[in-house]
Amino acid sequence: MSSRGRQERCDLYQIGEASRIGGISQRTLRYYDELGLMEPDVVADNGYRYYSRQTMLKIPVIHYLRMMGFSLDEIASMQQHSDLFEAKELFAKHLSTCDEEARLLAERREAILDWADLVDEANVVLRVRPTAVSVRYLAPRDLLCLCSRFTGSFAESIVSLDFASYVSSVDNAITGPVILGFDSVEDAVRAASQGRECDVRLLQKAVRPFAKENSWAMPGGMYLSTYHIGAFEEMGSAYQRLLTFARDNGYKVIDMALERFVTDFWTTNNPELFVAEILLPTETE
């Protein structure tokens, strides 16, 4: 160490003291030195490192930039640049990253809230166990759609590998209940009671905007609605309730059926906790 260095030792802090004051480990301080991010003011002949308070002021700056998502290499670059344009570019880059993370977080939050709402709905249905048919208005909406084939397995249609791949291929995400759309009530009844193969639409709410060719426009209007509890292969009795209600009360069923799955294989493997709502578009005769 030079004579000047020995003279100024009283104004310097050993690495252990700097570690304690700055709230970081000695190992981290040595790593900062290797990166040229925070070099000691003096290195003694025996290898001891000494830091001035002015140098230690870099510690909270580094911590703050790390909190903002900057890498140590980026921080080192910022401290060495000759103008502020690089800093501006780095802030713009990280702002874009934050915007993307915020979007993804909002999507996750929406999916969690929608799923929690479905569980709440199922708990009420399982407690009350309603068997009545109701008439309800549903607003029109566009759903993400994949035309598929029902092969007799509700599990494979509700948790569809093809649909998952399709959603990924169109760079989207889904939320809310899975909906199976049948072209006719007869197809839906035979699929439920006999496992009969038929064409089906796999439908679900999309989180992000999507192209018209990837959508199915669910018609707005009045629907006959009833809940089914239990294995989905036993939904035939629920369809019978709907058709009997329509006949006895003067409703004309438009030849289409929607099965809205409230709790299913996504939530539980226990069929006693399965809940589905069957919806038939209708008009008075």
Side-chain angles (χ1 to χ4, degrees):
M1 180 187 297
S2 68
S3 59
R4 183 177 179 181
R6 287 193 296 271
Q7 181 180 354
E8 294 178 351
R9 275 274 298 276
C10 59
D11 297 324
L12 299 175
Y13 297 84
Q14 293 184 9
I15 190 171
E17 295 174 302
S19 170
R20 176 179 56 80
I21 295 171
I24 60 176
S25 69
Q26 295 183 42
R27 181 178 180 181
T28 299
L29 283 171
R30 293 189 182 95
Y31 185 51
Y32 286 176
D33 184 10
E34 292 176 11
L35 293 176
L37 189 60
M38 181 179 162
E39 299 174 348
D41 294 87
V42 174
V43 179
D45 296 336
N46 58 6
Y48 279 19
R49 290 171 166 83
Y50 295 88
Y51 298 84
S52 68
R53 292 195 71 88
Q54 183 67 31
T55 298
M56 290 164 58
L57 293 179
K58 293 181 179 180
I59 295 175
V61 176
I62 295 171
H63 282 181
Y64 192 67
L65 291 171
R66 289 285 284 164
M67 180 274 294
M68 294 169 63
F70 284 71
S71 70
L72 292 176
D73 288 337
E74 288 174 331
I75 296 170
S77 176
M78 279 185 63
Q79 293 187 345
Q80 296 167 4
H81 55 225
S82 58
D83 58 53
L84 296 178
F85 288 108
E86 184 178 353
K88 176 66 175 178
E89 290 175 356
L90 285 172
F91 282 122
K93 169 188 171 183
H94 282 274
L95 183 59
S96 176
T97 299
C98 287
D99 289 342
E100 176 65 12
E101 291 175 351
R103 181 183 68 82
L104 295 175
L105 184 61
E107 290 180 358
R108 290 198 295 271
R109 187 176 188 276
E110 181 181 358
I112 291 170
L113 287 173
D114 285 347
W115 204 330
D117 286 344
L118 290 173
V119 171
D120 286 342
E121 180 181 352
N123 279 330
V124 172
V125 173
L126 290 167
R127 184 174 67 251
V128 177
R129 307 189 79 82
T131 57
V133 173
S134 62
V135 183
R136 54 182 298 201
Y137 171 78
L138 295 179
R141 56 178 176 150
D142 290 333
L143 297 169
L144 198 62
C145 173
L146 176 67
C147 292
S148 183
R149 186 78 178 166
F150 182 82
T151 59
S153 170
F154 278 96
E156 291 184 5
S157 289
I158 294 171
V159 187
S160 169
L161 296 172
D162 290 340
F163 191 65
S165 176
Y166 168 69
V167 172
S168 177
S169 71
V170 296
D171 190 27
N172 216 309
I174 41 83
T175 184
V178 174
I179 299 172
L180 297 187
F182 295 89
D183 290 333
S184 70
V185 177
E186 181 180 6
D187 280 348
V189 171
R190 289 181 175 179
S193 59
Q194 303 172 22
R196 183 77 64 86
E197 289 195 20
C198 63
D199 292 333
V200 68
R201 295 183 185 88
L202 306 182
L203 305 166
Q204 203 158 5
K205 175 185 172 184
V207 175
R208 305 167 194 162
F210 55 98
K212 199 71 174 177
E213 61 265 24
N214 299 324
S215 71
W216 180 73
M218 177 178 169
M222 305 306 296
Y223 285 76
L224 299 183
S225 164
T226 194
Y227 283 102
H228 166 80
I229 298 173
F232 301 130
E233 292 79 7
E234 300 170 0
M235 284 194 292
S237 59
Y239 276 102
Q240 189 58 50
R241 288 200 304 273
L242 289 166
L243 296 174
T244 299
F245 179 90
R247 183 194 63 218
D248 294 346
N249 292 274
Y251 287 95
K252 178 183 178 182
V253 173
I254 300 172
D255 204 16
M256 180 184 74
L258 299 176
E259 295 172 356
R260 173 179 169 269
F261 295 93
V262 183
T263 47
D264 49 43
F265 305 97
W266 284 97
T267 305
T268 177
N269 288 322
N270 183 356
E272 294 181 1
L273 301 179
F274 287 172
V275 174
E277 182 187 21
I278 302 173
L279 295 161
L280 303 182
T282 186
E283 56 188 27
T284 54
E285 293 183 326

